[in-house]
Amino acid sequence: GRQRGTTNDDDPFSSFSHFGFNGINGFHHGGGRRHRKEPLHSSRRKVQDPPVVHELKVSLEEIFHGCTKRMRITRRRLNPDGRTMRTEDKILNIVIKRGWKEGTKITFPKEGDETPENIPADVAFVLKDKGHPLFKRDGSNIIYTAKIGLKEALCGCTVNIPTIDNRAITLPCNDIIKPGTIKRLRGEGLPFPKNQSQRGDLIVEFQVRFPDRIPPQSREIIKQHLPQS
């Protein structure tokens, strides 16, 4: 069978550990009598519990500016007698640096439950992007979808593009904008995590709204003037 890493299959005392010392005073290990001074549990190596992983949702603004999140955890801790346990709350301060990417893991060593038998688990938080009403994230770039009409797409227009830090950039579009056209505003994205003085780009994707119907007279003019495709 497959061996599991968290069990003590090779430890003869593991199944007796909850009896304490008195339950198995006459037990011989490997045919030889135990040293009187050697405590029973010395043969049992404590194993650390696997990490406890939480998802931590952050907004694009929090990634842009950086922030500190305060997370309350409840865990069991050993009392000084080494046997009984208490439950306690602890606040963990999670410092989120500017530009950190989704999937970044912040680990707090040994902050999990503590029992007489275990080494407490590490507690980890993994960054997850919250949805945003205006932007999508692509690494250190952010994507904005600008919706324009067919007339603007063909005849030119000026579009106001919002930024992650609450400004607006005026973007003149003099060329014909086809569906799928993108324009790139350099340095208007998120800070690079390893070089926060530089930023990614704000990528503007255009979505062209086509009219549901065109009046007959307009249709005749379009037929005369639009080139054959």
Side-chain angles (χ1 to χ4, degrees), residues 55-108:
E55 204 174 72
L56 181 61
K57 293 205 169 183
V58 288
S59 69
L60 285 184
E61 284 80 5
E62 287 170 327
I63 292 294
F64 177 75
H65 293 289
C67 68
T68 299
K69 293 268 197 187
R70 290 166 61 80
M71 301 296 289
R72 181 192 299 275
I73 61 168
T74 302
R75 78 272 176 85
R76 290 182 299 167
R77 293 275 114 172
L78 267 183
N79 287 320
D81 62 15
R83 291 192 311 277
T84 58
M85 289 169 288
R86 66 188 184 278
T87 300
E88 66 175 29
D89 287 350
K90 183 171 182 181
I91 300 288
L92 300 179
N93 288 314
I94 306 168
V95 178
I96 292 162
K97 296 190 176 168
R98 300 181 71 222
W100 268 4
K101 295 191 174 169
E102 190 173 55
T104 301
K105 185 187 278 188
I106 308 104
T107 300
F108 293 85

Side-chain angles (χ1 to χ4, degrees), residues 5 43 49-50 92 102 116 127-128 147 165 182 200 224 227:
S43 63
D49 287 343
L92 300 179
E102 190 173 55
L127 290 198
K128 181 88 175 163
K147 296 176 179 175
D165 53 349
I182 66 166
Q224 288 173 32

Side-chain angles (χ1 to χ4, degrees), residues 25-227:
N25 272 343
F27 192 91
H28 298 308
H29 179 35
R33 192 175 290 279
R34 274 188 301 107
H35 241 265
R36 284 193 185 282
K37 292 178 183 172
E38 182 187 342
L40 177 64
H41 279 266
S42 66
S43 63
R44 176 190 179 86
R45 209 159 35 99
K46 284 191 178 187
V47 176
Q48 186 175 22
D49 287 343
V52 179
V53 181
H54 300 280
E55 204 174 72
L56 181 61
K57 293 205 169 183
V58 288
S59 69
L60 285 184
E61 284 80 5
E62 287 170 327
I63 292 294
F64 177 75
H65 293 289
C67 68
T68 299
K69 293 268 197 187
R70 290 166 61 80
M71 301 296 289
R72 181 192 299 275
I73 61 168
T74 302
R75 78 272 176 85
R76 290 182 299 167
R77 293 275 114 172
L78 267 183
N79 287 320
D81 62 15
R83 291 192 311 277
T84 58
M85 289 169 288
R86 66 188 184 278
T87 300
E88 66 175 29
D89 287 350
K90 183 171 182 181
I91 300 288
L92 300 179
N93 288 314
I94 306 168
V95 178
I96 292 162
K97 296 190 176 168
R98 300 181 71 222
W100 268 4
K101 295 191 174 169
E102 190 173 55
T104 301
K105 185 187 278 188
I106 308 104
T107 300
F108 293 85
K110 299 182 183 174
E111 291 288 2
D113 287 336
E114 184 181 35
T115 71
E117 285 84 29
N118 79 330
I119 297 170
D122 296 343
V123 175
F125 295 88
V126 176
L127 290 198
K128 181 88 175 163
D129 289 338
K130 275 184 194 170
H132 195 281
L134 296 176
F135 305 112
K136 277 189 307 185
R137 181 176 184 178
D138 179 19
S140 295
N141 298 330
I142 52 179
I143 300 168
Y144 174 74
T145 300
K147 296 176 179 175
I148 60 171
L150 182 57
K151 183 177 174 182
E152 288 91 356
L154 297 175
C155 303
C157 59
T158 299
V159 186
N160 284 323
I161 307 298
T163 66
I164 191 73
D165 53 349
N166 290 324
R167 292 174 296 116
I169 295 175
T170 303
L171 181 62
C173 304
N174 301 319
D175 305 327
I176 288 177
I177 293 176
K178 301 174 184 177
T181 295
I182 66 166
K183 291 190 181 288
R184 190 178 283 266
L185 300 173
R186 301 266 177 206
E188 290 290 347
L190 298 169
F192 290 125
K194 292 183 179 165
N195 182 2
Q196 295 174 5
S197 61
Q198 289 188 304
R199 288 167 59 183
D201 302 332
L202 173 52
I203 296 167
V204 181
E205 293 182 345
F206 287 90
Q207 200 177 83
V208 180
R209 290 189 308 266
F210 280 73
D212 292 326
R213 60 184 65 81
I214 298 174
Q217 63 269 35
S218 301
R219 193 178 301 161
E220 285 307 313
I221 296 169
I222 291 169
K223 275 184 182 174
Q224 288 173 32
H225 292 282
L226 273 188

